[in-house]
Amino acid sequence: MYKKLLLILGIFFLLSNYSYSQQNFKAFINLTVTDMKDKPSVGDHMLFVSDKTGKILSSITKKGGLCKFEVPSGAVYTIKIKSYSDTVTLYKVEIQKANYDQNFELTLKYQLPKTYTLKNVNFQSGSSKLKSSSFKSLNELAELMLNKKTLKIELAGHTDSQGDDALNLKLSHARAKVLKNYLVKKGITAKRLIVKGYGETRPIANNATEEGRKKNRRTEVIIIER
């Protein structure tokens, strides 16, 4: 009887330990994002990416620049932020495996660049008609502005030096206005969007080459208010 009781207790102990070891212990991360002057940044789209599985968790920073993640322990994660049409890697964190839930407080700094050239936003030659390949970047910009509700920007149109100066100035303004109308249709308030056309007056490359002219034909986002 005594041996039988010991056997039962032993089996119970082994099962208890097995059950305990199989628990999926979590790491709870409170992530705060601030700008470079330590002001909390609201409306940032944060990504928590598992280096092992590639699984992506996302969250938007709320009041105080805070967002929260719950992830398995015993893994390495890359923390990213969605910018205009890119994702920017901010930090890599390794969470050690533990037989208990863990809590972490983490603060990261990030600030959108004041000036950004929109990628893959193109128009028909000599026209203000958007190419369909432009929609992805514009949709990402709209999403950014819907999240960051205080952001006010200038849409600055630029051309190369081919053609008449006055026509280029008019065309660059018309193209910037088309982008504004697109963003308004996506839910962005018109007063948050300033339109300006600079024509060929602000080149960033040599207009004597096709490669240079291609770089000069661009639309920039310039932050007016954050």
Side-chain angles (χ1 to χ4, degrees):
M1 179 69 180
Y2 178 71
K3 290 183 178 180
K4 186 175 181 180
L5 179 60
L6 286 178
L7 179 61
I8 293 172
L9 289 173
I11 293 172
F12 176 77
F13 178 77
L14 289 172
L15 289 175
S16 296
N17 275 353
Y18 177 79
S19 175
Y20 183 77
S21 67
Q22 295 303 303
Q23 289 187 50
N24 295 319
F25 292 103
K26 301 284 187 179
F28 298 91
I29 296 104
N30 288 336
L31 173 62
T32 300
V33 181
T34 72
D35 65 14
M36 298 308 172
K37 295 182 179 180
D38 296 323
K39 180 182 177 182
S41 185
V42 177
D44 287 318
H45 190 165
M46 306 304 300
L47 304 174
F48 222 83
V49 186
S50 169
D51 284 15
K52 182 178 181 180
T53 66
K55 183 177 180 180
I56 301 174
L57 299 177
S58 67
S59 182
I60 307 296
T61 56
K62 307 296 184 184
K63 183 178 179 181
L66 178 66
C67 63
K68 299 183 178 184
F69 291 95
E70 177 184 326
V71 296
S73 60
V76 177
Y77 297 92
T78 300
I79 303 174
K80 300 183 178 184
I81 186 170
K82 291 193 74 172
S83 186
Y84 295 101
S85 57
D86 305 304
T87 57
V88 178
T89 297
L90 296 183
Y91 195 68
K92 191 178 287 286
V93 58
E94 181 177 2
I95 299 175
Q96 299 292 336
K97 193 170 185 63
N99 292 326
Y100 50 86
D101 289 335
Q102 302 175 78
N103 294 283
F104 296 92
E105 301 285 340
L106 187 61
T107 299
L108 299 177
K109 293 179 183 290
Y110 179 76
Q111 190 163 287
L112 284 168
K114 181 175 175 58
T115 302
Y116 178 82
T117 299
L118 288 172
K119 294 182 178 179
N120 301 315
V121 172
N122 299 298
F123 299 84
Q124 300 290 345
S125 179
S127 164
S128 59
K129 184 176 180 180
L130 266 175
K131 291 185 177 180
S132 59
S133 57
S134 306
F135 299 158
K136 183 177 184 295
S137 287
L138 292 175
N139 290 341
E140 289 170 339
L141 177 58
E143 181 185 359
L144 176 76
M145 295 192 71
L146 287 170
N147 288 331
K148 298 188 76 64
K149 301 184 185 303
T150 60
L151 196 65
K152 184 176 181 180
I153 65 171
E154 175 187 317
L155 294 165
H158 302 270
T159 68
D160 60 28
S161 62
Q162 301 285 88
D164 181 76
D165 294 2
L167 289 178
N168 282 339
L169 190 64
K170 184 178 180 180
L171 178 61
S172 64
H173 186 274
R175 286 176 169 177
K177 190 172 182 180
V178 165
L179 300 189
K180 175 181 179 177
N181 292 339
Y182 185 96
L183 293 172
V184 168
K185 288 180 180 178
K186 293 295 180 179
I188 309 303
T189 307
K191 66 181 181 181
R192 297 173 62 195
L193 304 165
I194 306 300
V195 170
K196 287 189 179 180
Y198 294 95
E200 60 190 73
T201 63
R202 296 187 178 183
I204 57 172
N206 189 347
N207 272 310
T209 67
E210 176 54 37
E211 182 181 355
R213 290 192 293 273
K214 185 177 180 180
K215 289 180 179 179
N216 289 331
R217 297 190 297 268
R218 69 196 190 279
T219 304
E220 292 175 331
V221 171
I222 302 172
I223 294 179
I224 299 172
E225 293 179 13
R226 292 187 182 273

